[in-house]
Amino acid sequence: MTEEVFIYQFTLHYTPSAVGASPIVRTRDVSVNVECHYPRHGDVSSAHVRPTWTPFAETRASEESLFFSLKLMTDDWQFERPSTQYFLGDQLNIQAFVSQFHHTPLRLFVDRCVATLIPNTDTVPRYSFLDNYGCLMDGILTGSRSQILPRVQDDKLQIQLEAFRFQQESSGLIYITCSLRATTRDTPVSATNKACSFSNGWRESSGVHGSCSCCETSCGSGGLQAQPPGKQWEFEKAVGPIGVNQQPLK
């Protein structure tokens, strides 16, 4: 306190809560020192304080004559991204691809993807952001901008995933493991052969949007996920470690 003003000092601490029913966060921890000066004579008031902060994936293998890959791509999707470091609020461009060589023409699907702290999908915490035979659940679970882009090739899928960190984990590292599956190109899009994401409703990357109707229930028969019919080739691919850093305060 001085002769003219009363000085009030305190610190605001913010710890982000998990988004929806998920184990992830898309905002950073922050502490803000606040110092208020009030005249010792007269009436004073203060407006609401509105601090702002902003929210934050590869691989290869082959089976028979096929080569499956999962890569982080640059913003224009032209090249593999040289860095695996991101900030909360960034978009991860994840591209799944199957090289056909002399194989019969194929169509690629991503059945499920899970994020973990280490390259082991059976560990906790884990976040299944894509599941149920090709349903990208992140948008409906957390309200994110994540989406599967419209197909440009049958043997390729492009996923945009809004970067995140696991709640109360300081390392900011994640691994992403996806189950890739190739079918013959003439296999029709269906409840178990699809690539769906949620943005003002469910949308399928090939335009067969009705195949997404089961995404919030179960896309298998009898409440169980049935194996899709027809000839297919499967491989599990992982990318990481991916570093997701908190946005520096401005």
Tab-separated table of all heavy atoms in Angstrom, residues 13 30 37 46-47 59 64 76-78 91 99 104 117 124 136 140 146 170 178 186 189 209 211 217-218 247:
chain	number	residue	atom	x	y	z
A	13	HIS	N	-3.645	-19.755	-11.321
A	13	HIS	CA	-3.123	-21.024	-11.833
A	13	HIS	C	-4.206	-21.728	-12.639
A	13	HIS	O	-5.340	-21.862	-12.160
A	13	HIS	CB	-2.673	-21.935	-10.684
A	13	HIS	CG	-1.581	-21.360	-9.844
A	13	HIS	ND1	-0.266	-21.329	-10.247
A	13	HIS	CD2	-1.625	-20.788	-8.616
A	13	HIS	CE1	0.462	-20.758	-9.300
A	13	HIS	NE2	-0.329	-20.427	-8.294
A	30	VAL	N	-0.788	-23.019	-17.103
A	30	VAL	CA	-0.289	-21.646	-17.101
A	30	VAL	C	-0.496	-21.028	-15.727
A	30	VAL	O	-1.445	-21.362	-15.009
A	30	VAL	CB	-1.006	-20.800	-18.189
A	30	VAL	CG1	-2.478	-20.595	-17.868
A	30	VAL	CG2	-0.322	-19.460	-18.385
A	37	HIS	N	-3.907	-2.213	-8.940
A	37	HIS	CA	-3.692	-0.969	-8.203
A	37	HIS	C	-5.040	-0.253	-8.071
A	37	HIS	O	-5.670	0.091	-9.075
A	37	HIS	CB	-2.692	-0.073	-8.942
A	37	HIS	CG	-1.288	-0.609	-8.917
A	37	HIS	ND1	-0.211	0.132	-8.497
A	37	HIS	CD2	-0.799	-1.834	-9.259
A	37	HIS	CE1	0.888	-0.601	-8.582
A	37	HIS	NE2	0.551	-1.796	-9.060
A	46	SER	N	-13.487	-3.618	-11.953
A	46	SER	CA	-12.586	-4.263	-12.910
A	46	SER	C	-13.396	-5.093	-13.885
A	46	SER	O	-14.426	-5.666	-13.544
A	46	SER	CB	-11.571	-5.168	-12.195
A	46	SER	OG	-12.231	-6.183	-11.477
A	47	ALA	N	-12.938	-5.145	-15.130
A	47	ALA	CA	-13.590	-5.977	-16.138
A	47	ALA	C	-13.129	-7.421	-15.972
A	47	ALA	O	-12.167	-7.704	-15.260
A	47	ALA	CB	-13.252	-5.464	-17.542
A	59	THR	N	5.681	-44.457	-40.756
A	59	THR	CA	6.066	-45.854	-40.623
A	59	THR	C	5.983	-46.648	-41.916
A	59	THR	O	5.515	-46.140	-42.877
A	59	THR	CB	5.233	-46.447	-39.489
A	59	THR	OG1	5.747	-45.901	-38.319
A	59	THR	CG2	5.152	-47.912	-39.364
A	64	GLU	N	3.633	-59.793	-48.631
A	64	GLU	CA	3.603	-60.279	-49.984
A	64	GLU	C	4.239	-59.196	-50.872
A	64	GLU	O	5.350	-58.773	-50.640
A	64	GLU	CB	2.161	-60.607	-50.395
A	64	GLU	CG	1.540	-61.702	-49.536
A	64	GLU	CD	0.109	-62.007	-49.921
A	64	GLU	OE1	-0.431	-61.343	-50.814
A	64	GLU	OE2	-0.450	-62.916	-49.308
A	76	ASP	N	1.361	-29.114	-47.356
A	76	ASP	CA	0.812	-29.272	-48.703
A	76	ASP	C	0.710	-30.736	-49.137
A	76	ASP	O	0.389	-31.022	-50.286
A	76	ASP	CB	1.640	-28.479	-49.718
A	76	ASP	CG	3.103	-28.933	-49.760
A	76	ASP	OD1	3.458	-29.925	-49.080
A	76	ASP	OD2	3.902	-28.277	-50.465
A	77	TRP	N	1.033	-31.653	-48.239
A	77	TRP	CA	0.947	-33.095	-48.476
A	77	TRP	C	1.919	-33.586	-49.560
A	77	TRP	O	1.805	-34.719	-50.018
A	77	TRP	CB	-0.479	-33.514	-48.867
A	77	TRP	CG	-1.508	-33.281	-47.810
A	77	TRP	CD1	-2.312	-32.187	-47.672
A	77	TRP	CD2	-1.839	-34.150	-46.709
A	77	TRP	NE1	-3.134	-32.320	-46.574
A	77	TRP	CE2	-2.876	-33.519	-45.968
A	77	TRP	CE3	-1.388	-35.409	-46.304
A	77	TRP	CZ2	-3.446	-34.101	-44.835
A	77	TRP	CZ3	-1.972	-35.984	-45.186
A	77	TRP	CH2	-2.968	-35.339	-44.458
A	78	GLN	N	2.896	-32.784	-49.929
A	78	GLN	CA	3.799	-33.169	-51.015
A	78	GLN	C	4.997	-33.987	-50.547
A	78	GLN	O	5.551	-34.786	-51.302
A	78	GLN	CB	4.295	-31.911	-51.746
A	78	GLN	CG	3.196	-31.140	-52.456
A	78	GLN	CD	2.464	-31.981	-53.483
A	78	GLN	OE1	3.074	-32.556	-54.384
A	78	GLN	NE2	1.148	-32.057	-53.354
A	91	GLN	N	-1.995	-28.876	-36.724
A	91	GLN	CA	-2.638	-30.026	-37.344
A	91	GLN	C	-1.569	-31.038	-37.746
A	91	GLN	O	-0.583	-30.681	-38.402
A	91	GLN	CB	-3.423	-29.610	-38.591
A	91	GLN	CG	-4.674	-28.790	-38.305
A	91	GLN	CD	-5.854	-29.658	-37.939
A	91	GLN	OE1	-5.915	-30.214	-36.853
A	91	GLN	NE2	-6.806	-29.777	-38.833
A	99	SER	N	1.574	-49.329	-51.287
A	99	SER	CA	2.190	-49.429	-52.612
A	99	SER	C	1.798	-50.768	-53.219
A	99	SER	O	1.995	-51.826	-52.611
A	99	SER	CB	3.716	-49.318	-52.511
A	99	SER	OG	4.089	-48.050	-52.013
A	104	THR	N	-2.981	-56.475	-57.922
A	104	THR	CA	-4.285	-56.021	-58.399
A	104	THR	C	-4.630	-54.692	-57.750
A	104	THR	O	-4.210	-54.433	-56.609
A	104	THR	CB	-5.368	-57.077	-58.050
A	104	THR	OG1	-6.618	-56.648	-58.561
A	104	THR	CG2	-5.490	-57.259	-56.541
A	117	LEU	N	1.683	-43.235	-24.775
A	117	LEU	CA	2.924	-42.574	-24.364
A	117	LEU	C	4.155	-43.339	-24.816
A	117	LEU	O	5.239	-42.757	-24.956
A	117	LEU	CB	2.950	-42.423	-22.842
A	117	LEU	CG	1.963	-41.404	-22.250
A	117	LEU	CD1	1.956	-41.516	-20.732
A	117	LEU	CD2	2.325	-39.988	-22.676
A	124	VAL	N	-1.622	-47.698	-20.569
A	124	VAL	CA	-2.502	-46.613	-20.128
A	124	VAL	C	-1.617	-45.443	-19.708
A	124	VAL	O	-0.588	-45.652	-19.040
A	124	VAL	CB	-3.391	-47.084	-18.951
A	124	VAL	CG1	-4.228	-45.936	-18.406
A	124	VAL	CG2	-4.300	-48.240	-19.390
A	136	LEU	N	-13.381	-41.778	-37.474
A	136	LEU	CA	-12.525	-40.828	-36.765
A	136	LEU	C	-13.377	-40.151	-35.693
A	136	LEU	O	-14.184	-39.269	-35.989
A	136	LEU	CB	-11.944	-39.806	-37.740
A	136	LEU	CG	-11.006	-38.744	-37.142
A	136	LEU	CD1	-9.799	-39.376	-36.458
A	136	LEU	CD2	-10.538	-37.780	-38.223
A	140	ILE	N	-16.068	-35.728	-32.723
A	140	ILE	CA	-17.298	-35.807	-31.934
A	140	ILE	C	-16.995	-35.941	-30.449
A	140	ILE	O	-17.774	-35.515	-29.598
A	140	ILE	CB	-18.196	-36.959	-32.437
A	140	ILE	CG1	-19.623	-36.778	-31.921
A	140	ILE	CG2	-17.632	-38.326	-32.056
A	140	ILE	CD1	-20.640	-37.646	-32.632
A	146	SER	N	-10.396	-32.175	-36.405
A	146	SER	CA	-9.835	-33.365	-37.042
A	146	SER	C	-10.790	-33.912	-38.098
A	146	SER	O	-12.010	-33.909	-37.917
A	146	SER	CB	-9.555	-34.437	-35.986
A	146	SER	OG	-8.652	-33.964	-35.005
A	170	SER	N	3.956	-34.653	-18.510
A	170	SER	CA	4.821	-33.509	-18.805
A	170	SER	C	5.679	-33.682	-20.049
A	170	SER	O	6.149	-32.701	-20.616
A	170	SER	CB	5.728	-33.227	-17.600
A	170	SER	OG	6.536	-34.371	-17.322
A	178	CYS	N	-1.642	-47.423	-35.963
A	178	CYS	CA	-2.863	-47.584	-36.762
A	178	CYS	C	-2.897	-48.967	-37.411
A	178	CYS	O	-1.861	-49.517	-37.798
A	178	CYS	CB	-2.954	-46.523	-37.855
A	178	CYS	SG	-3.101	-44.831	-37.244
A	186	ASP	N	-12.579	-53.152	-56.145
A	186	ASP	CA	-14.010	-53.324	-56.413
A	186	ASP	C	-14.810	-53.660	-55.160
A	186	ASP	O	-16.032	-53.842	-55.232
A	186	ASP	CB	-14.227	-54.397	-57.489
A	186	ASP	CG	-13.641	-55.755	-57.102
A	186	ASP	OD1	-13.075	-55.875	-55.990
A	186	ASP	OD2	-13.736	-56.700	-57.916
A	189	VAL	N	-17.762	-49.664	-50.620
A	189	VAL	CA	-17.750	-48.971	-49.328
A	189	VAL	C	-18.958	-49.445	-48.534
A	189	VAL	O	-20.060	-49.549	-49.066
A	189	VAL	CB	-17.797	-47.444	-49.534
A	189	VAL	CG1	-17.917	-46.723	-48.194
A	189	VAL	CG2	-16.557	-46.979	-50.272
A	209	HIS	N	-21.831	-41.486	-47.654
A	209	HIS	CA	-21.982	-41.030	-46.277
A	209	HIS	C	-22.878	-41.945	-45.444
A	209	HIS	O	-22.731	-42.020	-44.223
A	209	HIS	CB	-22.535	-39.608	-46.270
A	209	HIS	CG	-21.730	-38.649	-47.094
A	209	HIS	ND1	-20.347	-38.548	-46.995
A	209	HIS	CD2	-22.105	-37.761	-48.069
A	209	HIS	CE1	-19.921	-37.638	-47.846
A	209	HIS	NE2	-20.957	-37.149	-48.511
A	211	SER	N	-22.688	-45.012	-45.051
A	211	SER	CA	-21.903	-46.069	-44.397
A	211	SER	C	-21.423	-45.645	-43.013
A	211	SER	O	-20.976	-46.482	-42.226
A	211	SER	CB	-20.701	-46.448	-45.272
A	211	SER	OG	-19.814	-45.337	-45.411
A	217	THR	N	-22.486	-46.261	-32.760
A	217	THR	CA	-22.957	-47.491	-32.128
A	217	THR	C	-21.896	-48.566	-32.352
A	217	THR	O	-20.824	-48.504	-31.765
A	217	THR	CB	-24.329	-47.904	-32.692
A	217	THR	OG1	-24.255	-47.987	-34.130
A	217	THR	CG2	-25.388	-46.874	-32.323
A	218	SER	N	-22.174	-49.549	-33.159
A	218	SER	CA	-21.207	-50.582	-33.511
A	218	SER	C	-21.358	-50.923	-34.978
A	218	SER	O	-22.474	-51.092	-35.472
A	218	SER	CB	-21.418	-51.838	-32.666
A	218	SER	OG	-20.556	-52.874	-33.100
A	247	GLN	N	2.155	-24.147	-26.372
A	247	GLN	CA	2.379	-22.881	-27.061
A	247	GLN	C	3.038	-21.898	-26.113
A	247	GLN	O	2.608	-21.749	-24.969
A	247	GLN	CB	1.057	-22.300	-27.551
A	247	GLN	CG	0.518	-22.944	-28.806
A	247	GLN	CD	1.175	-22.395	-30.063
A	247	GLN	OE1	2.162	-21.682	-29.985
A	247	GLN	NE2	0.636	-22.726	-31.214
